[in-house]
Amino acid sequence: MHLTCQGFSPRTRVDAEVIRFGESWSRTAVVGEQAGVAVAADLTLRRGEGRRARLNGAALRTAEELRSRMAVLVFTPDRLAIVKGGPSARRAYFDRALGRIAPARGALAVEYAASLAQRNASLRRVSAGFSTLQAVEPWTERVVSLGTDLVLARLGLLDELGPLFAERADELGLRDGSLAYSGEPPTRQVLDARIERDVERGTTGAGPHLDDVTIASGKRELRSFGSQGEQRLAVLALLIAESDLIAERRGSAPLLLLDDVLSELDASRRASLLERVGVRGQVLITAASTAGIPADPAQLVEVVPGRAREGSWNG
C-alpha cells in the first residue's frame, strides 16, 4: 500500500529488494477514493530501470509525485527513532511532515540542504587555498535566507501540531505531552563570527541543520527518560495528530498504515489506540495473530506466502 501510494517502500529505498526473488520486475496497484473522488494508482519496478508510476491512468513524471497526490502515514517499529534516535531523525520527520501539511513549504529543507552543501564546499576550497572568503559570501546569504525560512516554517508547524500532539498523547495515556524546538534562525552575524572555525573544519557550524525538537512527557525528555512503550506512544500520538491536521487542511483523512503497532502496549492502551484511530478514515493494522487485537476489525485479511485471503475472526 505504501509503495504504491507514495512511490517508495517504507522499509528500503533499494528497488531490487522489493521485487520477488527470481523475478525481473514487479507491479503493484491500488484503487479507492480520496475525498469522495475515485483514485487508482500503479507502480512498476524493473531491475536496472527507474520506477514508473501512473495515477488515474496518466503517467507521472516521477514516482515521487504520488506523495503529493495521496496522503499516507505509516508506523513501523523503526519509526521509534523519531523519539529515541538522534536529532537528525527528528529533523527529517518534521521536515517531511511540513511537506505533507504545507506542500508549498515542503521544498525548504531540500533547498536549504543544497545551499548548505555549496557553502561547505566553498569553505573547504578556502581551507585548501584554492579560493577566497569572497566566494563563500553568496552561499552565506543563501543559507541565512533559507535557514530563516526553514526555522520559521518548523516553528509554525510545531505551533499547530503541538496542542494536537498533547491531546492525542493524553488519550493514549501519555500525560502532559509537549513538543519544543531547540534552535534559532541563523544570522549573518553568527556565521561571520565563526567563519574562521568553519573554514578550519570545512563545515557550517550554525543553522537549522543542527537544531532539534524535544519530545517530552511532563518534565521528562522521552529520548533519554522514556520507556520503550512511552516512546512508542509518543510516535503514535505524533502520527494521529498529523493525521488530524492533514484531514483539516485537505478535507479528508490520510490512509494510516500501522505495522506491528500493538506490541509493547498493554490491553487498555491497545483498546484506546484502536478507538482513536478507528474514527480517522481508513486504517490498516498488521499483527502476527488476532489474539492481541482487542476489537473486531471491519475486515480481516490473512497473508500467507504468495497470497492474501479473507481471514476469520477468532478474537
Side-chain angles (χ1 to χ4, degrees), residues 292-305:
I293 304 177
D296 190 351
Q299 182 181 27
L300 188 65
V301 177
E302 183 181 4
V303 179
V304 294

Side-chain angles (χ1 to χ4, degrees), residues 22-152:
E23 302 293 340
S24 61
W25 67 284
S26 71
R27 179 179 179 272
T28 54
V30 299
V31 294
E33 65 176 47
Q34 184 172 248
V37 179
V39 62
D42 65 81
L43 183 73
T44 300
L45 304 176
R46 294 185 183 275
R47 296 186 187 277
E49 297 183 13
R51 305 167 192 171
R52 296 182 181 179
R54 295 190 304 169
L55 184 63
N56 296 330
L60 299 180
R61 185 174 56 85
T62 65
E64 285 71 22
E65 288 184 50
L66 290 167
R67 289 187 234 180
S68 61
R69 307 291 186 89
M70 292 184 285
V72 176
L73 297 178
V74 62
F75 172 89
T76 58
D78 61 4
R79 294 300 170 95
L80 292 181
I82 296 171
V83 177
K84 66 191 298 183
S88 61
R90 283 179 290 283
R91 288 194 300 269
Y93 168 75
F94 286 103
D95 286 342
R96 288 194 299 268
L98 181 63
R100 289 187 289 261
I101 294 168
R105 299 180 178 180
L108 272 175
V110 175
E111 293 174 355
Y112 173 79
S115 296
L116 181 68
Q118 291 287 353
R119 186 177 191 268
N120 289 343
S122 294
L123 290 169
R124 290 191 291 271
R125 286 194 292 271
V126 173
S127 179
F130 299 138
S131 186
T132 67
L133 288 177
Q134 215 169 11
V136 180
E137 291 295 313
W139 296 114
T140 297
E141 293 292 343
R142 189 71 173 153
V143 163
V144 169
S145 175
L146 287 172
T148 298
D149 290 344
L150 180 57
V151 170
L152 294 178

Side-chain angles (χ1 to χ4, degrees), residues 229-302:
E230 288 175 323
Q231 291 169 345
R232 181 176 291 251
L233 290 175
V235 174
L236 292 171
L238 272 175
L239 290 180
I240 298 172
E242 185 183 347
S243 174
D244 290 347
L245 199 50
I246 290 174
E248 179 184 318
R249 292 286 185 87
R250 298 192 179 189
S252 63
L255 173 65
L256 286 179
L257 305 177
L258 308 179
D259 178 33
D260 190 28
V261 72
L262 300 175
S263 63
E264 300 183 24
L265 298 181
D266 58 37
S268 63
R269 283 174 171 171
R270 289 180 183 180
S272 180
L273 172 65
L274 294 179
E275 179 183 348
R276 298 302 181 275
V277 300
V279 296
R280 288 175 168 82
Q282 188 175 17
V283 183
L284 276 69
I285 298 176
T286 66
S289 72
T290 60
I293 304 177
D296 190 351
Q299 182 181 27
L300 188 65
V301 177
E302 183 181 4

Side-chain angles (χ1 to χ4, degrees), residues 145-255:
S145 175
L146 287 172
T148 298
D149 290 344
L150 180 57
V151 170
L152 294 178
R154 288 173 176 174
L155 289 170
L157 172 67
L158 293 189
D159 282 345
E160 293 187 271
L161 203 55
L164 292 173
F165 169 72
E167 291 176 15
R168 302 295 84 81
D170 187 68
E171 291 170 353
L172 295 176
L174 186 65
R175 305 304 177 193
D176 300 320
S178 64
L179 306 174
Y181 193 77
S182 301
E184 299 287 341
T187 65
R188 182 60 187 266
Q189 290 78 8
V190 168
L191 291 180
D192 284 348
R194 58 173 301 115
I195 187 65
E196 291 184 4
R197 282 175 290 173
D198 285 355
V199 168
E200 181 181 349
R201 297 173 182 177
T203 186
T204 302
H209 58 290
L210 300 172
D211 292 351
D212 196 3
V213 175
T214 300
I215 302 173
S217 175
K219 295 182 179 180
R220 291 185 301 121
E221 192 267 319
L222 292 175
R223 180 191 180 190
S224 302
F225 303 105
S227 68
Q228 184 97 338
E230 288 175 323
Q231 291 169 345
R232 181 176 291 251
L233 290 175
V235 174
L236 292 171
L238 272 175
L239 290 180
I240 298 172
E242 185 183 347
S243 174
D244 290 347
L245 199 50
I246 290 174
E248 179 184 318
R249 292 286 185 87
R250 298 192 179 189
S252 63
L255 173 65

